[in-house]
Amino acid sequence: MRLLLVLASWLNIYLLSARAQGTNLTTQWPLHDTGFSDAVQWDHYSLLVNGRRTFLWSGEIHYWRIPVPEVWRDLLEKIKAAGFNGISVYAHWAFHAPNNATLDMTSGARDFGPIFDIAKEVGLFVTMRGGPYVNAETTAGGFALWTTTGAYGPLRNNDPRYTAAWTPFMDEMNKITAEHQITNGGSIILTQIENEICCQRNSDGTLDTPVVDYMVDLQENVRDHGVVIPIITNAPNMDTRSWSTDYLPGPGKQDIYGLDSYPLCWSCNLAECGSGSASVAYADHFDIVSPTQPSFMPEFQGGSYNPWAGPQGGCPGNIGPNFVSMYYRHLAAERITMINLYMLYGGTNWGGLATNLISTSYDYSAPIQESRILGDKFSETKLIGLFFRAAEDLVMTDRTAFSTSVATNPLVGATVLRNPETQAAFYVARQSNMMATSTVDFALNIATKSAGNLTVPAFGNAIRLVGVQSKIIVSDFRFGNNTLVYSTAEVLSHSIVDGRSILALWLPDGEFGEFSILGGSKKREVVSGTGGGFHTVGDNLVLSYKQQTTQSVLQFDDFTVLLLPRSLAYTFWAPTLSKDPIVTPNNVVFVNGPYLVRSVTLSDSHVVVTGDIANATALEVFAPAACQSIEWNGKTLSTHRTSYGSLKASLAKPGLDAATLQKALSLSGWRYADALPEADAAYDDSKWVVADHQTTPNPTQPLTLPVLYADDYGFHTGVQIFRGRFTGEASGANLTVQGGTASGWSAWLNSDYIGSFPGSASAVSGTLALSFANATLLASGENILTVVMDHSGHDQRDAALNPRGILGAMLLSSSNNTFTKWTLAGNAGGESNTIDPVRGVIAEGGLHAERLGWHLPGFDDAAWAARAPAEGVNNATIAFFRTTSELAVPEGYDVSLEFILSSPAGSNLRAQLYVNGYQYGKYVPQIGHQIAFPVPPGILNVRGSNTIGLSLWAQAAGGAQVDVQWNVLGVYESSWDPGFDASALQPGWTPARLEFA
Ligand code: GAL
């Protein structure tokens, strides 16, 4: 063992020192494969898919957070349009396994096979991350919720009870993965087991056998099901150093080691994040832990989740376009060639999906917003994505660490990446202080293959960085048959049309750029916009220019250069003719103008473009000469050809806009019913579960008996209602109730309200001594204490076993009186419910209205009184409101809609919003922050009727009111149709619900 350790570290040192000496190591780095297939291979530099080197630029999306398969296509088209070539997908064990005898891979979004098919059709690779544990800010981190009782041990080890629990799920996951892997013609190229699991070794260096055996079991399960692609791991930080084949010997190693990183954490106060360049020195880490593998980040900060009580909308200021500019370029600077942004599209914690840290939104301030809207962050991400796609030489580089010596301004430096085969180099420039906000100008000392050492720009004004911004300055950059000796403007993309290259460069509007073309004798002409000054330097031709606010087009003998200001680069697209995720320039067609371009195809004399617009837009397509006209979303446009050969047309203002749609929407006709009959002592709960356990497998023991942990009785999500009986004298009750952070609870004695714990963003449980002084004890017969607990989700990791429910319940009584019986209601039928497999057990809780299906389409509320949630209730109770709302979005339009909930200042309430039977919003104003709840098509019927429900739980004696309004976020004329038939996703009310009173 010792010998192996020594050998391994010797190998590391040898390879590192060889590299430090600048030795050309292209032949020294081994090429690996899984041993089961060579379809996906890897070495020190990058991943190879079917023999082709690939820069993996991928983003995370969770099918279970957008449970509408039709919408996956919209999102994947947007992802592809931004230049990505991959997505990564966590599964969710609890979503598929409501109880330990059921695995549902077919109902609604549980049949997630289509996401792989769409990825294939759109041209994206997939990384499958099946779990069984994922984290993801979802309830219990994705563990099947029935494993949170303690009956399966502490989880994430080799305990046979846990192994038996996860095996059927991973069997199914791996069967599906095998079916969709690249060797079977599918899109999946990598599969991850577990997530962030620590560690292979104990702190004394010995193997952590229970964890290692678990990893080996998971790996064997993958291979037993015929999955032949690489297995990856995702390390939580740079300290754990586990599971890498290059680092220390021992079992449990997986094919490709990965590291995740969130340098700006999840606080708006960056001082809390401990960030700084030391924490992002990834290259040094990979050099030690995985030198023979590509440097890989299965998760890098795509945004940040919005914790309870955080500001509305998260902290977009910190992780917006500037963050993208700096940090995504920094990943390249660290020589990372496999990157997945977590999240690229966040989605929604509908139903019971959230862990108790967060509320309904999982917008994540991600590049694609929860509402599916594309803002500046998306555009900025697209700029770097298109560059990664165009920069062929980036897949194999050696790195010289960041240094200020290459820049003429001491505040600025660059990391140099150089391709050992072509000598193409990438200077990733930034200020030394990554968070500096000052504007700095500099020139760069570069070493080129084609023109020797240069200081650039040579003629024009300096290169500029405005605050948190990074630029990649290329040298010896190949495009088609031509070479840029260097460019201080950034490369956006490269296309070859009719054998001729078009190179797109971009700069922030008004900045100065300079590029040099190898071969100075080329003819050149400014055919549109303004050029700058041409200079011949030796054999090369240099253009120095100021970026105008319009596009300039320069024509050279055998290629064209487009100079784009950032504002136009944001509306610039480079769709591909081929659906191969590895894009070659002859498959790229440049299109400028629209809000989104989804696809391009060539048909006879047309170039056929699909996409979305929000406003009147000029449309320019750099299509082959054979194309005479542009067809946009099925309509042939009046098209003219420019002097430089592109096609131009205009797209008229869409007939529908957001303001018009907003005016047409209203919510009225609300009806209301009391939704807390359980508080009445006479309520018949004879069908409820009797909570009488005297022991629990949970490591946390209850304060009093019986055990009132809801999970022990098969209820794992949503509101839970406990009814305790007693006779005789008592002056009050002492209760400790644990629903998780941001949860709360209320209690009634024989229908009289006796108090509430309103909750807070930090308290996981609430203890109250409740007085019965203002309630009426029954002289004879049983008194009923009704406790309603809101459940904000299970904790993640080891804490998933933290119980939810009543931890302790004691009567305050001089005669030692105790409760004689407890009954409990959670979601209809508990974990064994089969009443609604489409939405699933995780979708609902145990509110009276939910158990009886009042939230569902088709429930008959004709007998209910007319009353709006804004009128609310005037005592501490729970009420349910319903209405229907017709939407008639015309064909050809996509819309982003949300609901805004509001209430008078100082309210204490808990409200849940239901849209066509899906709980799509949880509003707790005393905790904050979420007031806006986007709802996607498929949950909403944009051409049809919608059943809107609202549960209103007033946690104050004076009652509560909530106003509910539509808000139109965006209207787009679109080739993507949101008006599909979603009836299969929206099963309606059935009389079977009556069983669950
Ligand atoms: C990572 C984890 C993800 C997610 C993320 C924060 O550490 O792997 O599952 O929880 O943090 O959003």
Side-chain angles (χ1 to χ4, degrees):
M1 166 82 80
R2 267 196 76 79
L3 182 67
L4 279 174
L5 280 172
V6 171
L7 271 175
S9 61
W10 175 85
L11 178 71
N12 282 348
I13 292 163
Y14 165 73
L15 292 172
L16 292 175
S17 63
R19 224 147 42 95
Q21 287 157 22
T23 318
N24 182 336
L25 284 176
T26 45
T27 52
Q28 294 188 32
W29 295 111
L31 183 64
H32 305 285
D33 63 39
T34 61
F36 300 92
S37 160
D38 60 5
V40 182
Q41 298 166 298
W42 63 98
D43 69 2
H44 164 79
Y45 292 111
S46 52
L47 198 68
L48 291 84
V49 182
N50 290 325
R52 293 180 299 165
R53 284 198 182 274
T54 307
F55 188 101
L56 183 65
W57 179 236
S58 152
E60 185 84 8
I61 174 172
H62 299 150
Y63 59 91
W64 36 278
R65 279 187 163 120
I66 176 74
V68 186
E70 286 82 354
V71 181
W72 301 342
R73 180 175 299 274
D74 170 49
L75 294 167
L76 266 52
E77 286 179 356
K78 287 170 173 165
I79 290 169
K80 175 77 176 182
F84 288 90
N85 60 5
I87 57 166
S88 161
V89 179
Y90 273 151
H92 194 297
W93 183 11
F95 186 59
H96 294 277
N99 55 61
N100 75 356
T102 307
L103 259 183
D104 183 347
M105 313 306 263
T106 53
S107 306
R110 286 167 190 77
D111 174 8
F112 56 93
I115 205 164
F116 307 126
D117 299 335
I118 299 168
K120 169 96 183 162
E121 285 159 32
V122 170
L124 294 165
F125 292 130
V126 180
T127 299
M128 187 61 217
R129 308 202 291 159
Y133 184 77
V134 296
N135 210 57
E137 290 73 66
T138 190
T139 183
F143 282 130
L145 295 175
W146 40 272
T147 66
T148 65
T149 58
Y152 301 85
L155 312 178
R156 302 178 91 182
N157 62 13
N158 63 350
D159 185 320
R161 296 169 296 174
Y162 176 58
T163 312
W166 63 253
T167 300
F169 173 64
M170 291 313 291
D171 284 348
E172 283 307 307
M173 284 308 310
N174 285 321
K175 271 186 223 161
I176 294 168
T177 303
E179 192 185 322
H180 292 277
Q181 65 188 329
I182 189 159
T183 48
N184 287 338
S187 49
I188 306 179
I189 57 166
L190 301 169
T191 191
Q192 182 179 309
I193 52 173
E194 252 287 342
N195 185 48
E196 295 194 324
I197 190 157
C198 181
C199 293
Q200 208 175 346
R201 286 168 193 282
N202 300 306
S203 46
D204 63 2
T206 56
L207 283 178
D208 186 343
T209 308
V211 177
V212 168
D213 285 358
Y214 169 45
M215 290 295 274
V216 171
D217 288 348
L218 285 170
Q219 179 183 15
E220 281 173 2
N221 191 290
V222 170
R223 297 300 178 214
D224 286 350
H225 290 90
V227 177
V228 297
I229 52 178
I231 302 177
I232 62 163
T233 56
N234 179 32
N237 56 56
M238 293 196 251
D239 301 325
T240 57
R241 300 185 175 191
S242 293
W243 322 118
S244 171
T245 48
D246 296 342
Y247 191 77
L248 298 184
K253 291 161 179 252
Q254 309 303 327
D255 295 317
I256 308 180
Y257 168 85
L259 169 73
D260 74 16
S261 178
Y262 294 80
L264 299 199
C265 76
W266 301 277
S267 166
C268 297
N269 176 4
L270 294 181
E272 291 174 6
C273 299
S275 71
S277 26
S279 65
V280 292
Y282 308 120
D284 297 341
H285 172 77
F286 288 117
D287 276 346
I288 295 165
V289 179
S290 55
T292 83
Q293 305 163 43
S295 300
F296 177 25
M297 285 219 164
E299 292 179 19
F300 182 79
Q301 186 146 28
S304 61
Y305 62 78
N306 316 144
W308 279 107
Q312 167 74 16
C315 319
N318 294 347
I319 33 107
N322 288 354
F323 167 78
V324 168
S325 169
M326 173 62 76
Y327 281 87
Y328 298 171
R329 282 169 183 73
H330 178 71
L331 296 177
E334 295 293 308
R335 219 188 50 79
I336 300 168
T337 57
M338 297 172 67
I339 302 163
N340 178 56
L341 298 182
Y342 185 102
M343 300 294 298
L344 176 50
Y345 174 76
T348 307
N349 298 305
W350 58 279
L353 280 178
T355 186
N356 62 121
L357 273 178
I358 57 170
S359 177
T360 313
S361 176
Y362 205 62
D363 176 79
Y364 218 89
S365 302
I368 303 176
Q369 298 170 17
E370 183 180 6
S371 60
R372 301 177 296 115
I373 285 179
L374 313 175
D376 284 356
K377 181 168 182 180
F378 176 90
S379 302
E380 200 63 37
T381 306
K382 180 185 65 179
L383 300 185
I384 187 69
L386 292 180
F387 169 73
F388 287 156
R389 206 176 77 176
E392 292 166 38
D393 285 327
L394 207 50
V395 293
M396 179 189 255
T397 64
D398 294 326
R399 173 178 179 272
T400 308
F402 181 85
S403 161
T404 54
S405 67
V406 289
T408 56
N409 181 333
L411 296 173
V412 178
T415 307
V416 188
L417 305 168
R418 192 175 298 279
N419 185 304
E421 291 184 341
T422 66
Q423 299 303 313
F426 303 88
Y427 292 79
V428 188
R430 59 168 169 88
Q431 300 200 48
S432 301
N433 171 1
M434 293 174 87
M435 297 317 258
T437 53
S438 48
T439 296
V440 289
D441 290 335
F442 64 99
L444 202 61
N445 304 317
I446 61 173
T448 72
K449 175 185 169 198
S450 45
N453 293 345
L454 300 169
T455 299
V456 299
F459 299 94
N461 289 34
I463 309 169
R464 171 159 288 185
L465 292 172
V466 181
V468 182
Q469 189 190 2
S470 170
K471 286 185 176 174
I472 301 184
I473 287 120
V474 296
S475 67
D476 296 299
F477 183 91
R478 293 177 298 130
F479 63 105
N481 296 325
N482 302 287
T483 302
L484 273 177
V485 180
Y486 64 87
S487 171
T488 66
E490 287 195 279
V491 171
L492 180 55
S493 187
H494 167 217
S495 156
I496 299 176
V497 180
D498 293 334
R500 197 182 149 86
S501 280
I502 312 174
L503 178 71
L505 302 177
W506 76 276
L507 273 175
D509 310 30
E511 284 192 14
F512 293 86
E514 182 175 290
F515 62 87
S516 167
I517 301 282
L518 189 64
S521 59
K522 297 200 185 283
K523 277 213 297 242
R524 65 277 188 174
E525 190 187 356
V526 180
V527 288
S528 172
T530 15
F534 282 99
H535 310 268
T536 305
V537 179
D539 287 342
N540 305 327
L541 182 64
V542 176
L543 176 72
S544 198
Y545 66 100
K546 178 177 182 184
Q547 180 59 55
Q548 307 297 308
T549 54
T550 52
Q551 167 181 273
S552 295
V553 182
L554 315 180
Q555 269 192 335
F556 297 80
D557 287 341
D558 47 358
F559 62 92
T560 301
V561 177
L562 309 180
L563 304 180
L564 292 154
R566 173 159 52 197
S567 49
L568 289 182
Y570 275 12
T571 58
F572 179 93
W573 304 93
T576 58
L577 296 168
S578 143
K579 298 310 171 200
D580 185 346
I582 303 178
V583 172
T584 50
N586 54 333
N587 278 314
V588 172
V589 176
F590 289 166
V591 181
N592 205 345
Y595 164 82
L596 170 67
V597 171
R598 295 174 185 266
S599 75
V600 66
T601 43
L602 302 178
S603 118
D604 300 333
S605 58
H606 284 10
V607 55
V608 179
V609 186
T610 67
D612 301 23
I613 56 165
N615 293 300
T617 306
L619 178 65
E620 179 168 26
V621 185
F622 293 81
C627 298
Q628 305 294 328
S629 56
I630 308 172
E631 184 185 307
W632 167 260
N633 291 351
K635 282 188 216 119
T636 304
L637 305 176
S638 154
T639 308
H640 74 272
R641 193 177 294 281
T642 62
S643 61
Y644 50 90
S646 68
L647 297 175
K648 272 195 174 170
S650 356
L651 295 169
K653 185 175 184 314
L656 180 69
D657 61 29
T660 314
L661 181 60
Q662 181 73 53
K663 275 195 214 115
L665 297 180
S666 70
L667 286 170
S668 58
W670 290 96
R671 290 176 180 273
Y672 143 94
D674 170 41
L676 187 64
E678 296 92 343
D680 190 331
Y683 184 81
D684 177 6
D685 66 359
S686 55
K687 288 188 185 159
W688 287 24
V689 164
V690 177
D692 57 0
H693 297 183
Q694 298 300 310
T695 59
T696 176
N698 199 297
T700 303
Q701 290 302 300
L703 303 171
T704 58
L705 291 172
V707 178
L708 296 173
Y709 298 170
D711 294 284
D712 290 26
Y713 300 94
F715 300 110
H716 308 298
T717 47
V719 167
Q720 288 153 358
I721 306 184
F722 301 81
R723 298 180 90 228
R725 289 165 160 77
F726 66 95
T727 50
E729 172 274 339
S731 62
N734 207 333
L735 297 175
T736 299
V737 182
Q738 179 161 293
T741 47
S743 72
W745 55 275
S746 299
W748 289 262
L749 180 69
N750 303 326
S751 292
D752 292 326
Y753 174 63
I754 54 171
S756 282
F757 179 75
S760 82
S762 53
V764 288
S765 65
T767 299
L768 293 177
L770 297 169
S771 165
F772 294 164
N774 295 324
T776 309
L777 281 177
L778 301 179
S780 62
E782 283 178 326
N783 295 292
I784 303 278
L785 178 73
T786 303
V787 180
V788 181
M789 182 192 85
D790 196 7
H791 185 317
S792 55
H794 285 276
D795 293 297
Q796 303 179 103
R797 306 188 184 88
D798 303 354
L801 269 52
N802 287 348
R804 295 288 181 258
I806 299 180
L807 305 188
M810 253 176 358
L811 286 170
L812 304 173
S813 164
S814 53
S815 57
N816 276 337
N817 205 358
T818 56
F819 290 98
T820 51
K821 181 179 179 185
W822 282 92
T823 53
L824 164 59
N827 66 297
E831 64 180 26
S832 304
N833 164 313
T834 50
I835 199 166
D836 183 359
V838 171
R839 296 184 188 85
V841 168
I842 207 163
E844 17 177 280
L847 282 174
H848 190 78
E850 291 176 300
R851 301 195 320 270
L852 276 86
W854 297 357
H855 58 305
L856 297 172
F859 172 77
D860 182 3
D861 61 13
W864 289 16
R867 189 185 184 105
E871 297 166 78
V873 291
N874 55 17
N875 59 333
T877 186
I878 302 177
F880 199 80
F881 299 82
R882 296 178 100 244
T883 189
T884 53
S885 184
E886 302 293 319
L887 291 178
V889 173
E891 284 193 28
Y893 286 89
D894 185 16
V895 292
S896 287
L897 301 177
E898 66 179 5
F899 293 88
I900 306 277
L901 272 56
S902 59
S903 57
S907 294
N908 273 313
L909 65 89
R910 292 172 177 272
Q912 294 187 160
L913 174 76
Y914 301 83
V915 179
N916 295 320
Y918 287 82
Q919 194 263 83
Y920 247 74
K922 187 157 177 156
Y923 171 68
V924 191
Q926 68 268 28
I927 295 175
H929 57 275
Q930 196 177 354
I931 58 165
F933 301 89
V935 182
I939 302 301
L940 264 181
N941 301 313
V942 302
R943 286 202 286 279
S945 178
N946 295 281
T947 301
I948 315 295
L950 187 89
S951 62
L952 173 57
W953 166 1
Q955 287 201 285
Q961 300 85 39
V962 170
D963 190 32
V964 185
Q965 296 293 341
W966 284 110
N967 187 38
V968 180
L969 289 163
V971 172
Y972 306 93
E973 205 178 275
S974 175
S975 60
W976 182 77
D977 180 18
F980 50 86
D981 176 8
S983 50
L985 292 177
Q986 300 170 13
W989 186 84
T990 68
R993 284 276 171 183
L994 299 171
E995 288 299 303
F996 299 105

